[in-house]
Amino acid sequence: MAEEIDDIDYTDNLFMRLLQCTLCGQNNRFNYEGFSYKILQTIEEGIYGRVYRCRHSATGDIVAIKQIKFDDEKIGVPSSVVREVSLLRALQHVNIVSLLKVLTKETYVNLVFEPLDQDLSHYIRDNRGVQDPSIRKSFLRQILVGVAYCHAHKILHRDLKPKNIWIDNSRMIIKIADFGLAREFGGDMLLTRYPPNRYYRAPEVFLHCQHYSSGIDLWSVGCIFGEMVIGRPILGDTCDELDAIFRMLGTPSEENWPGITQFPLFGSYAIYNPMDLSTVFSGLEPEGLELLKMLLCLDPKRRISAETALKHAYFKD
Amino acid sequence: FEHKKICFGDYESNGLFDHNIELSDEIVGLMVQKEEEHLPRDDYFENLHAGHFNLSVRKQALDWMMKAHAYFGFGPWSIFLSVNYLDRFLSLFELPRDKNWISQLVAVSCLSIAAKIRETKVPLSARLQVGTPKFVFEAITIQKMELLVLSTLGWKMQALTPCSFIDYFISKINCEQHQMKSSLLKS
């Protein structure tokens, strides 16, 4: 592991080396300072690369640096990187992790983020959920505010899960991160690639509904809310998540999900009656339970939007 | 505008009016603000007219982008975005005048980035070079140019296009028609 990450944007000398030209005077937006970031700790190691906690050598500022490598030159800059970085450049909100700087290198990018302390999955594991009702409410409200902001900008996150939600410990502020799968929605787009994480995936995605929309993020928020209450993923270990969803919430019918019988995959599922959610989520206040049910509404058309969820009685204090 | 027609067609045939985020005046205000952050420099059009070099680069790049765009059957968003990236890049970057291959490399990179933003299926970057262009580049060269375009544009690739505003204007038109109808009925 390299001890340091230099604070140099590769583009500064890219053109000189490759195309023998000079950069426009106006264009030194990454202001090359000649300093470096000292790596303090590796926060996370993923398939795409690593996340480091670093300190800037001159200012002493603590940052998180996500290093994404471009493995395959045949595809050029991966579309996930193009999307994530450009979406983060477009989104500026207190509940969305802020991207301070992009350092473009020859075969990777360093994304410099505000410092991140801990993700929600660690918090849930260490504290067996989010037991304090007021903290739980505050976390959920902040997640919904962030999601509402994304949706107002017509951006779907598509991969909301506790691992992608970070907590600023000192101020207890939620920061939604990891927009690698996020996309703009609406317009002429069919969304065909499915988000990989199955625990937080909405039922319409399992059924291969092609025109899914903002509802998939709200479903994930519902799963995260439930997980904060019981301290583990609400579906538990299962090899058929859709079956587990129907076991918990009851198998839908044309009555509560018009059009459900049109999905070819639907026919293979058994008919279950809904469980009593007040026993499953026994620690939750009645208003919270009502909101949870609205988030975990099977029919995406009737699922509550982030905007409306924020006006729910659960948040009236 | 031909593209607008294409776009209208797509909207209608896919019945995509029903996504549940309505474009309020407030959001459209934000969109206009966002659009301004994704425009070429103010002096671009003057410079374009004054200097013939960028104009010919733009024309060559555009010709090829349109061909390749049609070949792959990309949606209207991709071509709008490609042109937006091309114009912004040309307005920020002084291209070397003695390299006549440069316009083709810029064109391939802009289309490639636009496809990555909007399309669900993106061909390998080297395969993108259809229509027998005069210059064909290796994947690694295209990747480098992509990086140069991305960082020159500050990675601000979520530009708005005419498509972004169409929903809003359609809803305005529908709304006004409803009002007209109802006022006619009243009278």
Side-chain angles (χ1 to χ4, degrees), chain A residues 84 88 91 93-99 113-114 116 120 139-151 156-168 173-179 182 217 221 224 306:
Chain A
E84 172 164 24
L88 285 167
L91 298 172
H93 190 273
V94 62
N95 295 122
I96 290 172
V97 67
S98 63
L99 177 62
F113 290 104
E114 61 181 318
L116 306 165
L120 185 59
F139 280 3
L140 180 67
R141 194 186 52 75
Q142 294 183 63
I143 294 169
L144 283 168
V145 170
V147 171
Y149 175 83
C150 293
H151 290 177
L156 293 186
H157 186 286
R158 303 207 306 162
D159 195 22
L160 287 171
K161 56 184 178 186
K163 255 194 133 21
N164 289 342
I165 292 171
W166 290 77
I167 304 163
D168 175 339
I173 291 177
I174 289 285
K175 305 272 178 188
I176 299 176
D178 219 319
F179 284 73
D217 283 344
V221 173
I224 296 165

Side-chain angles (χ1 to χ4, degrees), chain B residues 48-64:
Chain B
L48 207 56
H49 284 297
H52 298 289
F53 178 69
N54 264 358
L55 198 61
S56 72
V57 168
R58 187 178 192 272
K59 188 179 176 309
Q60 284 171 26
L62 218 59
D63 279 348
W64 177 81

